[in-house]
Amino acid sequence: MLDYDLHCHSNISDGTLTPAEVVARAAGRGVKVLALTDHDDMDGLDEARAAAAQHGMVFINGVEISVTWRTHTVHIVGLGIDPVYAPLVSGLLGVRSGRGARAEKMAEALAKAGIGGTLQGAYRYAENPNMIGRTHFARYLVEAGHCKDVRSVFGRYLANGKTGYVPHRWAVLADAVSWIRGSGGVAVLAHPGRYMIGRHSMGKKTMHELLSEFVACGGQAIEVVSGSHTPEQYAEFARYAGEFNLLCSCGSDFHGPDESWRDMGRLPDFPLGCKPVWQLWEHDAASNPSNTLDVGRASARHVGLKPDLQ
Ligand code: AMP
Ligand code: MN
Ligand code: MN
Ligand code: MN
């Protein structure tokens, strides 16, 4: 079992717990190294880092950036980022800025389908209004009795192609990777098994093209063990990691006690042959014991990533 959880959400994006509650839950479930990776926003990191220190946990600054690659929405996790690095801060501001207008269009589309009041309803669930997103709409639609749970709302109304889906242009892949890398972080392709075309996952050819481009622009790791992957997908993406010489990451993608694919921590081990992404920072900590395991330039106790991998 892995005691690293490098992908989860608080109510700074579309999770239901506060950053401190996420950290406490992770500690209670045996997580030793945690990254909070809210969508397109880093505002939860200070609170989470302080809570992690109280629990004696190693904390990694994280973020999950929404990207449009060709016609696909893909997510890039940044680990060990510097939350005050200006290009990253302004890049994320740009990514978030479209969310309000998108939400209005979603509400209009749902209203045309006979479901009213969703804009106000969704904002009631968005602790951070700048980060209004589909999950907040989904929670309101469950409350209003349209579906039994969040997942069925996506299947019926919010997934690509459904009534309430509004196409949107997020960040450019190379930009997202460069904001992360420029801030001293590691760029990780999140949950590659979740990129669907209709009911089918992205084909092999497209996945190869995505990974080639990701590596060419500085991507270094891929999520192999994700809360939203099946065991067959652990093996599949471990093979891609080998083929593209990528480091491997793991995370629950926890959003809340009642609506996650999987609870925090206690993730199964990587398939054999995977090189864990934490080699990047633990190598440095081991070779220079005066450093802590924190990564990222913002940290006063900065640990640089291995130069040849930066
Ligand atoms: P947005 O960034 O507003 O498009 O929202 C994306 C979020 O919606 C993801 O991060 C997930 O939390 C959630 N989501 C996407 N697809 C599903 C699904 N099929 N079931 C449950 N949640 C989903
Ligand atoms: Mn989410
Ligand atoms: Mn994601
Ligand atoms: Mn996520």
Side-chain angles (χ1 to χ4, degrees):
M1 230 158 48
L2 296 164
D3 47 18
Y4 294 74
D5 193 331
L6 304 177
H7 186 151
C8 64
H9 298 272
S10 74
N11 62 6
I12 292 297
S13 62
D14 58 358
T16 57
L17 305 182
T18 65
E21 287 167 345
V22 169
V23 171
R25 189 179 187 93
R29 292 183 52 86
V31 174
K32 299 283 191 300
V33 181
L34 178 74
L36 178 68
T37 55
D38 274 312
H39 299 285
D40 307 325
D41 200 310
M42 306 181 288
D43 274 1
L45 297 178
D46 286 346
E47 178 182 322
R49 190 182 314 103
Q54 287 188 340
H55 289 280
M57 218 189 278
V58 174
F59 184 73
I60 307 289
N61 286 328
V63 68
E64 181 178 16
I65 307 182
S66 312
V67 161
T68 301
W69 178 73
R70 299 185 180 169
T71 56
H72 306 272
T73 297
V74 302
H75 286 173
I76 305 297
V77 161
L79 297 177
I81 46 153
D82 175 352
V84 300
Y85 177 64
L88 177 61
V89 171
S90 63
L92 293 182
L93 188 64
V95 179
R96 288 193 301 268
S97 68
R99 283 187 174 267
R102 172 192 187 233
E104 283 173 25
K105 286 191 203 145
M106 286 174 63
E108 280 165 25
L110 289 165
K112 275 197 197 130
I115 305 178
T118 60
L119 190 64
Q120 293 77 3
Y123 270 109
R124 278 204 282 110
Y125 285 92
E127 216 70 45
N128 171 7
N130 299 326
M131 272 308 300
I132 185 87
R134 284 187 289 165
T135 312
H136 306 114
F137 278 82
R139 289 182 188 138
Y140 172 69
L141 290 182
V142 172
E143 177 198 310
H146 295 284
C147 287
K148 68 175 191 330
D149 57 23
V150 161
R151 196 150 322 160
S152 1
V153 183
F154 274 88
R156 206 152 134 204
Y157 297 108
L158 301 180
N160 191 346
K162 306 290 177 185
T163 325
Y165 182 80
V166 173
H168 190 74
R169 285 213 79 79
W170 304 105
V172 170
L173 177 65
D175 290 347
V177 172
S178 86
W179 303 332
I180 292 168
R181 293 295 307 272
S183 85
V186 187
V188 185
L189 180 67
H191 47 62
R194 286 254 309 276
Y195 303 136
M196 310 299 285
I197 303 173
R199 294 161 59 99
H200 304 281
S201 51
M202 187 183 269
K204 280 201 173 81
K205 181 170 179 285
T206 313
M207 183 58 70
H208 268 89
E209 289 165 359
L210 170 60
L211 285 170
S212 305
E213 208 173 307
F214 177 62
V215 169
C217 63
Q220 295 152 292
I222 183 169
E223 273 180 5
V224 167
V225 172
S226 160
S228 63
H229 280 174
T230 62
E232 292 73 32
Q233 287 174 322
Y234 305 157
E236 178 184 357
F237 293 105
R239 283 195 300 275
Y240 278 110
E243 187 176 341
F244 285 85
N245 196 24
L246 288 162
L247 297 164
C248 299
S249 190
C250 66
S252 58
D253 207 355
F254 177 80
H255 281 72
D258 302 322
E259 47 183 71
S260 295
W261 304 92
R262 183 178 184 114
D263 208 329
M264 305 199 71
R266 299 182 194 163
L267 294 164
D269 285 328
F270 287 132
L272 283 177
C274 284
K275 284 183 263 172
V277 67
W278 46 89
Q279 280 183 357
L280 281 177
W281 60 84
E282 292 187 355
H283 172 274
D284 267 42
S287 59
N288 183 356
S290 67
N291 284 324
T292 72
L293 294 179
D294 275 352
V295 288
R297 286 190 188 142
S299 167
R301 302 170 299 165
H302 168 62
V303 172
L305 300 175
K306 272 201 298 199
D308 58 329
L309 289 163
Q310 266 195 10

